[in-house]
Amino acid sequence: MACPNRSLPGIDPIRSAMLTVALLSSAISALPACNDPDAGTNDEDEDDDVSEGPDDGSTPSDRVRCEDKMVLDLGFVEGDPSTGIVTNASVDGGFASTIDATAGGLVNAASNPWIYMRFTDSGLQTVAIDDFEALNSTDWHIAAKRYEVRLNSGTGGPGAVTGAPLDGFSFEEVTEAPSDVTLVEESFYTDDCVLIDDGAGLGDPRYLLTPWWSYPGCVATTRLPFLIRPPEGDPLKFVVESYYGEDQTRCNEEGVMGTEPAQFLWRWTFLP
Amino acid sequence: MSTRVRAPQRGLRRYHHTRSELLLVGMGWLVAARSASAAPRPTEGGAYAFAAEDTVANWDVPSGAVRIHFSTDGPNRVRPIDDDSDGIPDDVIEAGETLLAALALYDELGFRALPVEETETLGGSTAVDVYLIDFGGSGDGHYGQDDCARAPCSGFLVIENDFLEGSYPTASEGIRTVVSHEAFHGVQSAYADLPVWVAEGTAVWAERIFDPSLGDFANQCDGYLADTGRTLYQPPSGPVAPFAYGTALWWDFLATRHDPSIIERLLIAIEAQGTEPRPELALSPLLEAEGDTLEDAWTTFVRWNLATGPRYGGAETHAFGRALMGIEATAEGPSVELDTRVFPLAASYFRLEHPGGPLWLAANADVVGLQFSLHALAPGATDGVVANPRATWAVTGAGRWPIVEEDAIPAGAYWIAATYPAVAEVAKQVRLCIGSAVVAEQCDVGDDGVELDEGASASDDDDGGCRVHGRSNDRIGLLVGAVVVVTARRRRRRVRVGIPRTSP
């Protein structure tokens, strides 16, 4: 079922596993999604918010630079879109979104696509496109695969989604878009299409959102908030709350690996 | 510095990863990668270290050239097996003797020596230090560098302590595999800091040179065959790169086609490239010095790879081809229509269920440089053992061409190997159609497309189209034609299966 942009917030039930995130569990309220009378009642509805694309007049920019390199470096896969599920819960005027970015698991990730999504008034919606379609699509704002997260702009895609880290702030402290922050596009290739890696030693691109994680022996969340501006709407604040479905807090505090990796929990809120 | 990640194995020797183990594999590599600058020895801490509870001892090989550090009690203890009752665990001795033998072989093949330290500061002697540590399932070997007082830096090996995880048929095979692999990383360090696809690929190749009976080599090569549409020199980013390890298949092919010493000349050529080497640019000069060309070598490699695994036995291929997994079909059906991206030094394989009759190719872009081959299967077979190429093609332009010049290809299943045997910065994007004349006619090839003319001969067109090099089929008196397809960087392809027709 398509669930296009809506003026009322729509919420899918958050999965029980995610309720273990104590930080959020008490703040979650469930609301039906997309005016579907059956929505929000079982897991089968969790991925119903599939966007067929916006009608916002946005058009792809010129061909994405370094496409061929990106296809190989980012492991693009043509075929079916990601089957990853996205759920949304309203939290403090924004959303807590869970994203299944497992891509078939660590070993199978090379043969599974990224999951593409867009921020809407009714929550984070999946965009049912494959990696190659994403090269020509402005429908999506953000994409994820395992621990990699990229925006649709610059070298990351044909869109105009910009962003910037909000150093020195906590997610909660940000109540409006700071005026002194320069928003930029993704830029993980040089002019000569040489990959700019993140310095972690694995050859991964330096995405704009890469600072969401650190590695003290597991994938820890830095809780660094980001400002993200989709081209057609208000900016939003964004933070990666957890990467592991379980035991993120222990990872952050003790460096012990959690379980259910790539089961993201993102918090984000449109800003005035 | 390099950490060796195990390859899942197949058949009876399959390594049964659990989810948590797989996570550890990936993240263990990350730990190593991120600690590259520090490179602490296991006696000092770091990702792979002795625990406080370990009782650590060491043993030197008689020559004193190698020192094995091991634990006799504690979480990193080695297996207490001591069949010769000499007081030293047998695995410790085997690790030391294996390292000596591997280094001697590499020396014999002309490689530079593994750099060793000049002082006794690290490890207590000037010997090459080997530490036997429990990797906990996150890998099984590691070569680190920590003495850069002079160039090249010297380092140390870390090897799994007991190989109890079942990755190898025996602990002995694990020791011989991993020690020979990590030792070659040490040899590499005497030349240059190599990109991962060369570093791991040649280290896996070294395992085979050291002991052809080691099963890890074939298992790792499967990592390449699973992703042949990827450019050889563009492994994916991320913590698990079986593709990079699997490029051993290419290095072994070159060493077989020429001589193992070609790998040493490769390392010298890479060293000459400086601090940011691009080994792929060294390939052509390297091969031309041997009287070979990259185009010929790569195209042959692609065809050898087709005849592996279930398709082994009827065509020239790797000596160990039967033990390989085999390639995966990029697309299959009675016709193929693809909007595709052709990557350099990559290959795609198409299985065509040809109903009989002429075969045509249509392409909407200039795909100069692509090479193709047609391989027959046994009569009546839909897959299985393939034959040597019955025809090969090079495409030199856009348009539509009947590949079959005279009569039709007999009905049956065929494999087509397609490749772009060159080093290039960008891929070629093309719409490609293969099938009947109707398929070709309906294929949108834009303004470059020529009018369909069954009477046209591809081989008559020296200025464009296809150059067909087929062989006559004396037995049935038919010329065997071929289809032309292109390689694409796709996993699950949208393939349109056309209705087989033999005339427009």
Side-chain angles (χ1 to χ4, degrees):
Chain A
M1 179 195 70
C3 186
N5 293 345
R6 297 179 54 79
S7 57
L8 295 175
I11 309 298
D12 282 343
I14 201 161
R15 288 185 294 171
S16 58
M18 295 305 167
L19 289 171
T20 57
V21 181
L23 177 64
L24 297 173
S25 59
S26 63
I28 293 170
S29 61
L31 295 171
C34 306
N35 283 348
D36 183 335
D38 296 325
T41 58
N42 56 55
D43 284 353
E44 293 180 354
D45 296 314
E46 287 177 335
D47 60 344
D48 277 351
D49 285 352
V50 177
S51 170
E52 299 295 338
D55 186 16
D56 56 14
S58 58
T59 56
S61 62
D62 293 335
R63 181 174 293 282
V64 178
R65 279 199 313 113
C66 314
E67 264 191 19
D68 293 342
K69 298 279 281 185
M70 186 159 66
V71 166
L72 296 176
D73 288 333
L74 274 60
F76 278 8
V77 175
E78 183 169 14
D80 297 330
S82 168
T83 56
I85 292 172
V86 171
T87 72
N88 293 285
S90 66
V91 180
D92 296 337
F95 295 95
S97 302
T98 67
I99 299 95
D100 176 356
T102 52
L106 184 65
V107 168
N108 297 319
S111 56
N112 284 285
W114 289 63
I115 180 170
Y116 294 88
M117 298 155 282
R118 63 183 287 110
F119 300 105
T120 76
D121 291 341
S122 55
L124 189 68
Q125 295 181 347
T126 56
V127 179
I129 55 177
D130 71 17
D131 293 330
F132 285 83
E133 291 167 334
L135 288 172
N136 296 301
S137 171
T138 58
D139 294 356
W140 60 281
H141 294 150
I142 191 167
K145 183 173 182 178
R146 304 300 298 177
Y147 55 91
E148 298 181 74
V149 182
R150 80 181 201 273
L151 298 178
N152 187 0
S153 63
T155 58
V161 183
T162 53
L166 296 174
D167 295 304
F169 291 92
S170 70
F171 179 81
E172 291 75 14
E173 288 171 339
V174 179
T175 57
E176 60 183 14
S179 58
D180 58 346
V181 171
T182 302
L183 296 169
V184 297
E185 296 185 332
E186 285 284 14
S187 180
F188 49 83
Y189 283 107
T190 66
D191 291 344
D192 298 330
C193 292
V194 175
L195 183 74
I196 301 171
D197 77 38
D198 62 7
L202 299 177
D204 290 316
R206 186 196 65 189
Y207 301 108
L208 210 154
L209 300 184
T210 290
W212 74 259
W213 65 284
S214 63
Y215 199 84
C218 56
V219 181
T221 53
T222 61
R223 299 212 73 246
L224 174 66
F226 295 86
L227 187 65
I228 297 174
R229 181 185 288 277
E232 67 276 9
D234 292 330
L236 56 99
K237 62 176 181 177
F238 171 95
V239 70
V240 176
E241 198 70 57
S242 63
Y243 171 74
Y244 296 110
E246 300 279 357
D247 296 330
Q248 186 68 58
T249 300
R250 189 174 179 214
C251 167
N252 290 355
E253 295 177 353
E254 302 174 32
V256 176
M257 202 168 293
T259 58
E260 301 179 22
Q263 297 278 5
F264 279 110
L265 175 62
W266 295 349
R267 287 189 62 191
W268 57 279
T269 305
F270 283 117
L271 296 170
Chain B
M1 168 172 292
S2 177
T3 298
R4 187 175 182 287
V5 179
R6 296 177 306 200
Q9 301 194 6
R10 294 180 294 110
L12 296 176
R13 292 175 291 146
R14 180 180 294 280
Y15 175 56
H16 297 284
H17 286 290
T18 65
R19 184 177 176 81
S20 60
E21 283 174 324
L22 290 172
L23 282 170
L24 285 167
V25 167
M27 294 312 168
W29 193 344
L30 187 55
V31 169
R34 289 201 156 184
S35 63
S37 59
R41 295 201 170 198
T43 47
E44 301 164 354
Y48 311 112
F50 288 117
E53 299 84 359
D54 279 312
T55 301
V56 180
N58 61 64
W59 173 78
D60 292 352
V61 299
S63 68
V66 171
R67 172 168 289 185
I68 310 294
H69 304 258
F70 60 100
S71 170
T72 56
D73 191 22
N76 292 286
R77 65 182 176 275
V78 297
R79 299 188 308 159
I81 300 169
D82 182 17
D83 285 345
D84 56 2
S85 302
D86 63 355
I88 305 298
D90 292 347
D91 287 352
V92 170
I93 294 175
E94 180 158 25
E97 292 178 343
T98 297
L99 180 56
L100 280 180
L103 294 178
L105 174 66
Y106 302 152
D107 178 68
E108 184 181 330
L109 292 174
F111 290 98
R112 294 176 187 167
L114 180 150
V116 295
E117 60 197 291
E118 288 187 318
T119 70
E120 298 184 350
T121 306
L122 298 168
S125 75
T126 58
V128 179
D129 293 301
V130 180
Y131 300 84
L132 304 184
I133 297 292
D134 183 8
F135 279 71
S138 65
D140 52 25
H142 176 67
Y143 180 78
Q145 292 172 288
D146 61 352
D147 181 5
C148 295
R150 63 188 175 93
C153 300
S154 62
F156 59 95
L157 287 76
V158 186
I159 305 296
E160 166 67 20
N161 65 323
D162 55 20
F163 289 96
L164 291 179
E165 284 80 7
S167 314
Y168 303 89
T170 63
S172 176
E173 179 157 340
I175 291 168
R176 293 175 63 76
T177 300
V178 180
V179 169
S180 60
H181 180 106
E182 300 303 336
F184 198 74
H185 281 315
V187 169
Q188 292 167 347
S189 72
Y191 294 86
D193 186 11
L194 303 174
V196 65
W197 64 281
V198 179
E200 296 301 347
T202 56
V204 172
W205 166 80
E207 297 172 18
R208 174 171 165 75
I209 289 294
F210 175 68
D211 183 350
S213 73
L214 299 175
D216 187 67
F217 170 80
N219 291 327
Q220 298 283 7
C221 289
D222 288 343
Y224 173 79
L225 292 180
D227 200 6
T228 57
R230 171 176 290 279
T231 295
L232 177 77
Y233 49 89
Q234 283 269 288
S237 63
V240 173
F243 180 90
Y245 288 74
T247 63
L249 191 58
W250 165 246
W251 304 121
D252 185 79
F253 170 80
L254 289 186
T256 301
R257 185 176 172 92
H258 296 285
D259 183 87
S261 63
I262 195 171
I263 304 300
E264 206 272 337
R265 292 193 290 282
L266 168 78
L267 297 181
I268 290 174
I270 295 171
E271 178 186 38
Q273 292 179 329
T275 55
E276 295 185 357
R278 294 188 60 191
E280 66 273 18
L281 299 179
L283 292 175
S284 274
L286 186 70
L287 288 165
E288 286 165 8
E290 302 289 327
D292 197 355
T293 67
L294 179 58
E295 180 177 326
D296 285 348
W298 182 262
T299 303
T300 303
F301 175 65
V302 166
R303 294 167 188 166
W304 278 28
N305 292 344
L306 171 62
T308 60
R311 298 172 199 93
Y312 176 88
E316 191 176 13
T317 185
H318 311 279
F320 46 87
R322 187 190 299 276
L324 298 174
M325 174 183 69
I327 54 86
E328 296 180 5
T330 307
E332 48 196 350
S335 66
V336 174
E337 298 177 49
L338 292 171
D339 287 313
T340 190
R341 213 174 275 256
V342 185
F343 284 96
L345 291 196
S348 288
Y349 299 94
F350 299 83
R351 190 174 63 83
L352 197 73
E353 296 165 359
H354 184 53
L359 271 171
W360 285 68
L361 157 75
N364 71 339
D366 187 344
V367 285
V368 171
L370 301 188
Q371 297 276 354
F372 306 90
S373 57
L374 176 74
H375 304 255
L377 295 167
T382 57
D383 200 353
V385 176
V386 296
N388 282 323
R390 296 183 66 171
T392 60
W393 293 265
V395 179
T396 58
R400 300 184 180 93
W401 310 281
I403 302 301
V404 180
E405 190 171 355
E406 296 178 4
D407 287 311
I409 296 179
Y414 296 83
W415 276 93
I416 297 150
T419 188
Y420 178 15
V423 173
E425 292 298 319
V426 296
K428 299 184 179 198
Q429 296 191 46
V430 62
R431 161 167 283 267
L432 215 98
C433 305
I434 307 141
S436 68
V438 172
V439 170
E441 184 179 34
Q442 293 176 345
C443 187
D444 179 8
V445 296
D447 295 334
D448 292 332
V450 298
E451 289 301 314
L452 188 65
D453 178 3
E454 272 195 289
S457 167
S459 58
D460 288 344
D461 182 4
D462 292 331
D463 297 321
C466 300
R467 296 197 312 270
V468 184
H469 308 285
R471 300 176 191 168
S472 64
N473 183 326
D474 295 334
R475 184 170 60 84
I476 57 176
L478 297 175
L479 277 180
V480 176
V483 261
V484 177
V485 288
V486 291
T487 170
R489 176 78 194 105
R490 298 174 181 177
R491 279 294 196 165
R492 291 188 298 270
R493 246 163 253 277
R494 291 195 180 92
V495 179
R496 300 175 196 169
V497 178
I499 300 171
R501 282 175 265 185
T502 56
S503 60

